[in-house]
PDB file of all heavy atoms in Angstrom:
ATOM      1  N   HIS A 101      60.100  82.667 119.846  1.00 97.00           N
ATOM      2  CA  HIS A 101      58.975  82.770 118.903  1.00 97.00           C
ATOM      3  C   HIS A 101      57.956  81.662 119.113  1.00 97.00           C
ATOM      4  O   HIS A 101      58.314  80.511 119.388  1.00 97.00           O
ATOM      5  CB  HIS A 101      59.489  82.721 117.466  1.00 97.00           C
ATOM      6  CG  HIS A 101      60.465  83.805 117.119  1.00 97.00           C
ATOM      7  ND1 HIS A 101      60.484  85.032 117.754  1.00 97.00           N
ATOM      8  CD2 HIS A 101      61.486  83.832 116.214  1.00 97.00           C
ATOM      9  CE1 HIS A 101      61.443  85.777 117.252  1.00 97.00           C
ATOM     10  NE2 HIS A 101      62.074  85.077 116.321  1.00 97.00           N
ATOM     11  N   LEU A 102      56.715  82.004 118.924  1.00 98.00           N
ATOM     12  CA  LEU A 102      55.595  81.065 119.104  1.00 98.00           C
ATOM     13  C   LEU A 102      55.120  80.562 117.745  1.00 98.00           C
ATOM     14  O   LEU A 102      54.936  81.373 116.826  1.00 98.00           O
ATOM     15  CB  LEU A 102      54.439  81.769 119.823  1.00 98.00           C
ATOM     16  CG  LEU A 102      53.193  80.938 120.124  1.00 98.00           C
ATOM     17  CD1 LEU A 102      53.479  79.924 121.231  1.00 98.00           C
ATOM     18  CD2 LEU A 102      52.026  81.848 120.535  1.00 98.00           C
ATOM     19  N   THR A 103      54.923  79.272 117.611  1.00 98.00           N
ATOM     20  CA  THR A 103      54.465  78.718 116.339  1.00 98.00           C
ATOM     21  C   THR A 103      53.342  77.714 116.559  1.00 98.00           C
ATOM     22  O   THR A 103      53.194  77.131 117.634  1.00 98.00           O
ATOM     23  CB  THR A 103      55.607  78.015 115.576  1.00 98.00           C
ATOM     24  OG1 THR A 103      56.115  76.943 116.374  1.00 98.00           O
ATOM     25  CG2 THR A 103      56.731  78.980 115.237  1.00 98.00           C
ATOM     26  N   LYS A 104      52.563  77.528 115.486  1.00 98.00           N
ATOM     27  CA  LYS A 104      51.554  76.477 115.422  1.00 98.00           C
ATOM     28  C   LYS A 104      51.469  76.061 113.957  1.00 98.00           C
ATOM     29  O   LYS A 104      51.329  76.917 113.081  1.00 98.00           O
ATOM     30  CB  LYS A 104      50.200  76.971 115.926  1.00 98.00           C
ATOM     31  CG  LYS A 104      49.133  75.883 115.916  1.00 98.00           C
ATOM     32  CD  LYS A 104      47.849  76.335 116.562  1.00 98.00           C
ATOM     33  CE  LYS A 104      46.814  75.211 116.517  1.00 98.00           C
ATOM     34  NZ  LYS A 104      45.538  75.590 117.200  1.00 98.00           N
ATOM     35  N   PRO A 105      51.591  74.774 113.671  1.00 97.00           N
ATOM     36  CA  PRO A 105      51.672  74.323 112.279  1.00 97.00           C
ATOM     37  C   PRO A 105      50.440  74.666 111.446  1.00 97.00           C
ATOM     38  O   PRO A 105      50.553  75.009 110.281  1.00 97.00           O
ATOM     39  CB  PRO A 105      51.845  72.809 112.399  1.00 97.00           C
ATOM     40  CG  PRO A 105      52.344  72.579 113.774  1.00 97.00           C
ATOM     41  CD  PRO A 105      51.763  73.666 114.617  1.00 97.00           C
ATOM     42  N   SER A 106      49.273  74.596 112.059  1.00 97.00           N
ATOM     43  CA  SER A 106      48.047  74.765 111.289  1.00 97.00           C
ATOM     44  C   SER A 106      47.042  75.592 112.086  1.00 97.00           C
ATOM     45  O   SER A 106      46.549  75.146 113.126  1.00 97.00           O
ATOM     46  CB  SER A 106      47.453  73.385 110.964  1.00 97.00           C
ATOM     47  OG  SER A 106      46.234  73.516 110.265  1.00 97.00           O
ATOM     48  N   ALA A 107      46.752  76.780 111.609  1.00 97.00           N
ATOM     49  CA  ALA A 107      45.873  77.693 112.344  1.00 97.00           C
ATOM     50  C   ALA A 107      44.420  77.233 112.284  1.00 97.00           C
ATOM     51  O   ALA A 107      43.939  76.721 111.275  1.00 97.00           O
ATOM     52  CB  ALA A 107      45.994  79.093 111.764  1.00 97.00           C
ATOM     53  N   HIS A 108      43.742  77.489 113.385  1.00 97.00           N
ATOM     54  CA  HIS A 108      42.317  77.188 113.491  1.00 97.00           C
ATOM     55  C   HIS A 108      41.588  78.479 113.806  1.00 97.00           C
ATOM     56  O   HIS A 108      42.140  79.387 114.435  1.00 97.00           O
ATOM     57  CB  HIS A 108      42.100  76.152 114.604  1.00 97.00           C
ATOM     58  CG  HIS A 108      40.727  75.572 114.626  1.00 97.00           C
ATOM     59  ND1 HIS A 108      39.687  76.136 115.312  1.00 97.00           N
ATOM     60  CD2 HIS A 108      40.221  74.465 114.013  1.00 97.00           C
ATOM     61  CE1 HIS A 108      38.596  75.424 115.136  1.00 97.00           C
ATOM     62  NE2 HIS A 108      38.893  74.405 114.361  1.00 97.00           N
ATOM     63  N   MET A 109      40.338  78.558 113.380  1.00 96.00           N
ATOM     64  CA  MET A 109      39.568  79.782 113.611  1.00 96.00           C
ATOM     65  C   MET A 109      39.552  80.163 115.092  1.00 96.00           C
ATOM     66  O   MET A 109      39.579  81.352 115.446  1.00 96.00           O
ATOM     67  CB  MET A 109      38.132  79.633 113.104  1.00 96.00           C
ATOM     68  CG  MET A 109      38.009  79.449 111.601  1.00 96.00           C
ATOM     69  SD  MET A 109      38.668  80.851 110.676  1.00 96.00           S
ATOM     70  CE  MET A 109      37.440  82.104 111.062  1.00 96.00           C
ATOM     71  N   SER A 110      39.557  79.170 115.960  1.00 95.00           N
ATOM     72  CA  SER A 110      39.484  79.441 117.401  1.00 95.00           C
ATOM     73  C   SER A 110      40.779  80.029 117.957  1.00 95.00           C
ATOM     74  O   SER A 110      40.831  80.431 119.122  1.00 95.00           O
ATOM     75  CB  SER A 110      39.154  78.154 118.164  1.00 95.00           C
ATOM     76  OG  SER A 110      40.172  77.192 117.947  1.00 95.00           O
ATOM     77  N   ASP A 111      41.837  80.093 117.136  1.00 97.00           N
ATOM     78  CA  ASP A 111      43.104  80.684 117.588  1.00 97.00           C
ATOM     79  C   ASP A 111      43.092  82.210 117.543  1.00 97.00           C
ATOM     80  O   ASP A 111      44.018  82.859 118.032  1.00 97.00           O
ATOM     81  CB  ASP A 111      44.273  80.170 116.729  1.00 97.00           C
ATOM     82  CG  ASP A 111      44.513  78.687 116.888  1.00 97.00           C
ATOM     83  OD1 ASP A 111      44.294  78.159 118.003  1.00 97.00           O
ATOM     84  OD2 ASP A 111      44.916  78.045 115.895  1.00 97.00           O
ATOM     85  N   ALA A 112      42.060  82.783 116.943  1.00 97.00           N
ATOM     86  CA  ALA A 112      41.975  84.240 116.855  1.00 97.00           C
ATOM     87  C   ALA A 112      41.889  84.825 118.257  1.00 97.00           C
ATOM     88  O   ALA A 112      40.961  84.520 119.022  1.00 97.00           O
ATOM     89  CB  ALA A 112      40.758  84.643 116.033  1.00 97.00           C
ATOM     90  N   ALA A 113      42.865  85.651 118.603  1.00 97.00           N
ATOM     91  CA  ALA A 113      42.964  86.209 119.955  1.00 97.00           C
ATOM     92  C   ALA A 113      44.169  87.137 119.983  1.00 97.00           C
ATOM     93  O   ALA A 113      44.839  87.340 118.973  1.00 97.00           O
ATOM     94  CB  ALA A 113      43.139  85.098 120.995  1.00 97.00           C
ATOM     95  N   GLU A 114      44.464  87.665 121.172  1.00 97.00           N
ATOM     96  CA  GLU A 114      45.678  88.453 121.342  1.00 97.00           C
ATOM     97  C   GLU A 114      46.678  87.620 122.134  1.00 97.00           C
ATOM     98  O   GLU A 114      46.315  86.965 123.124  1.00 97.00           O
ATOM     99  CB  GLU A 114      45.400  89.775 122.054  1.00 97.00           C
ATOM    100  CG  GLU A 114      46.603  90.708 122.086  1.00 97.00           C
ATOM    101  CD  GLU A 114      46.219  92.172 121.966  1.00 97.00           C
ATOM    102  OE1 GLU A 114      45.058  92.498 122.243  1.00 97.00           O
ATOM    103  OE2 GLU A 114      47.102  92.980 121.588  1.00 97.00           O
ATOM    104  N   TYR A 115      47.923  87.681 121.700  1.00 98.00           N
ATOM    105  CA  TYR A 115      48.969  86.865 122.300  1.00 98.00           C
ATOM    106  C   TYR A 115      50.042  87.768 122.904  1.00 98.00           C
ATOM    107  O   TYR A 115      50.482  88.740 122.281  1.00 98.00           O
ATOM    108  CB  TYR A 115      49.585  85.936 121.249  1.00 98.00           C
ATOM    109  CG  TYR A 115      48.613  84.876 120.787  1.00 98.00           C
ATOM    110  CD1 TYR A 115      47.615  85.175 119.872  1.00 98.00           C
ATOM    111  CD2 TYR A 115      48.673  83.590 121.303  1.00 98.00           C
ATOM    112  CE1 TYR A 115      46.691  84.217 119.469  1.00 98.00           C
ATOM    113  CE2 TYR A 115      47.766  82.612 120.896  1.00 98.00           C
ATOM    114  CZ  TYR A 115      46.777  82.942 119.978  1.00 98.00           C
ATOM    115  OH  TYR A 115      45.870  81.984 119.593  1.00 98.00           O
ATOM    116  N   PHE A 116      50.453  87.400 124.108  1.00 97.00           N
ATOM    117  CA  PHE A 116      51.454  88.182 124.827  1.00 97.00           C
ATOM    118  C   PHE A 116      52.642  87.310 125.204  1.00 97.00           C
ATOM    119  O   PHE A 116      52.477  86.225 125.771  1.00 97.00           O
ATOM    120  CB  PHE A 116      50.858  88.785 126.105  1.00 97.00           C
ATOM    121  CG  PHE A 116      49.796  89.811 125.863  1.00 97.00           C
ATOM    122  CD1 PHE A 116      48.458  89.437 125.800  1.00 97.00           C
ATOM    123  CD2 PHE A 116      50.123  91.150 125.701  1.00 97.00           C
ATOM    124  CE1 PHE A 116      47.468  90.385 125.582  1.00 97.00           C
ATOM    125  CE2 PHE A 116      49.144  92.096 125.480  1.00 97.00           C
ATOM    126  CZ  PHE A 116      47.814  91.714 125.417  1.00 97.00           C
TER     127      PHE A 116
END
Side-chain angles (χ1 to χ4, degrees):
Chain A
H101 301 333
L102 181 71
T103 60
K104 182 173 180 178
S106 178
H108 191 272
M109 295 299 290
S110 61
D111 295 327
E114 188 145 21
Y115 292 78
F116 294 92

